[in-house]
Amino acid sequence: MAVPSTDLHLIRAARRVFTGPSTLLDDPKQRARSARYLADLAHPYGLELPDGPGQEALGRSHAEMAEALIGALVPPHEPVDLLVLAFARHDVLPGRATATYLSHLCPGTPLSFAVCDQGPAAVVSGLRLAHAYASPDGGTTALLIAVDQAVLPYRTPTPAPARQQAVAMLYRTAPVAGTEPGPDPAGDVVPAPARMTVLRQHPDVAAGDVAALAGSELAALSAGRPDTRIVLGVDLAAAWPAHPTGGVTVAPPGQPVTGPWWTLLDVLAAGPARSGPVLTADYDPDLRYLCLTGWETTPVDTRPR
Amino acid sequence: MTALDAVAVHLPPHRVPIESLAGPLELTEMQVRLFRRFHGLDQVRRDPDRSLADLLRQAATGLTALRGQEHRVRFVLYGRAFPVVVPYPVNPLHDVCRALGLGHAVSFTLTQQSCASALLAVEMAGRLLAAEPGPHPPGGGPLALVLTAEKAFTRDAQFIPETSVFSEGASACLVSLDGPRDRLLGYACRQRGEFDVAGGASGAQFQREYRPALADVIGRALTVAGVDLDDIRLILPHNVNVVTWQRLSRLIGFPRDRVLLDNVRETGHVFCADAFTNYLTARDRGLLSPGDRYLVAAVGAGEGATFAAMVFAH
């Protein structure tokens, strides 16, 4: 399943690792509310919560992470039309309509919603939705925020993300001249202008088939471009031990949702002579999605502004 | 143009009078009386023996138009009011998709617009289908399946204080770009994140602005659709309560008897499924004729607020 060449341009991005507990959960009312919800959520599945649920598992809320990145990335004079929050592991404030809240904080009061229940592929679906939403006449701005939630109050069959971190990516249907630094150029913001050239999602790919499919897809998408750089998700690299290594960067382990995007930003922004195509590929062994995206970088304008 | 090809709804058969909710929800006699006499609520549907996956499966299998067309389904969008309904990584959506022969479809949940998430899912389903590369053979184009389903699994999912009570239920809706019936003419959505409870919003301010905000988004949807309110044959409301819609009808100048409120008494608020429940009721009762314009409205409230409306041509 493929989305053909599009006019969606990554303008800039912001990313951050978050430490410490949620300040919202300092409020006893919020803690009690969250604890009650989580207890009702877990009970039918026989999951045990710590004594006094909500007292010990105080992860950062999605809203806190996203809010910080919006502030760093989107200046007040740049209204956003669409905001998509993508996650795999749920929020520590599970009942909150966080995307609706973020709409209020984000310049432009964008149409906002969350994409989930799809593992790491939710980020790619968010990108796909942004592409589908974008007006072909240009002028649409979309903000895609991916979060890794490290703290849940019950045991999960797969390890928690190593860090609580988030990546926010600002897209437009038209490129910008030069590089706009964003409100916080010295901190979390990565200038990484690039045009999305392809997006493919292959559902229900068996683990035994993923190496062949990923290999053929990457070969086809990089045909005639020996300078193509590739970002592989760590789970795809594990499922494909013989994956190519030349020009390939494997995302670090422990960040299933944000890791490939964090690494993509590194690759897009790497080196003064940066140009040429970049591909990402990732595989979720649980929900069996193989997702690929393609990017054509554009030179960064490094002139003093 | 986005079109609803087929709609199915599953409501648990077990009916619970609202008086029976008083004990578990610690409602006073006065609060129950308010629900019944003032808000026009009577009963809710519950099925403690059926899971969320059961509800999703029941709704989807009731969609007879899906049978034999599974290969055309590119996307399954689960529009859900409550952002989190199962512990991670339990995934009823993907379990049900595989069981229905839809493992090949890109499937995900759209949420955090509370009970307006279903209208969002219909809108985004149409946009995703429109972005699919063509050409497609006549009558053989790609499809999307929009699902809704909710369990009243926690206190916040059982009632809205002083406002409404929730029924469990589910719906399934087949969306195409070239279907002959129920074509989407316009969609509008307005979010009010400042009413976020965790952010310390004032409930009183929300109550004051509720109906004007809903009236505003209805006006926006009509504008997008290019039709006047006078052109609307029927409004399919969210089933929050009767009095809200009586007052809203007065505010926008729309005849009360053309707002389908019968299901408020029958089911109360079925989260995101109200639109589809009311659509089937309207169709079954012959309230819509070919070519009629009708308006669907939804409000997602409780944690922030989302007001949404859609205009269709039947």
Side-chain angles (χ1 to χ4, degrees), chain A residues 32 36 42 54 60 65 78 81 83 86 89-90 99 103 120 156 179 184 195 211 218 224 238 252 265 277 303:
Chain A
R36 181 172 192 161
R60 278 299 184 104
M65 292 192 273
E78 280 189 39
D81 303 294
L83 186 157
R89 293 162 63 96
H90 65 75
S103 173
T156 58
T179 302
D184 181 20
R195 181 175 70 91
L218 290 171
L265 298 178
R303 290 172 297 176

Side-chain angles (χ1 to χ4, degrees), chain A residues 23 53 147 157 247 267 292:
Chain A
T23 52
V147 295
V267 171
L292 302 103

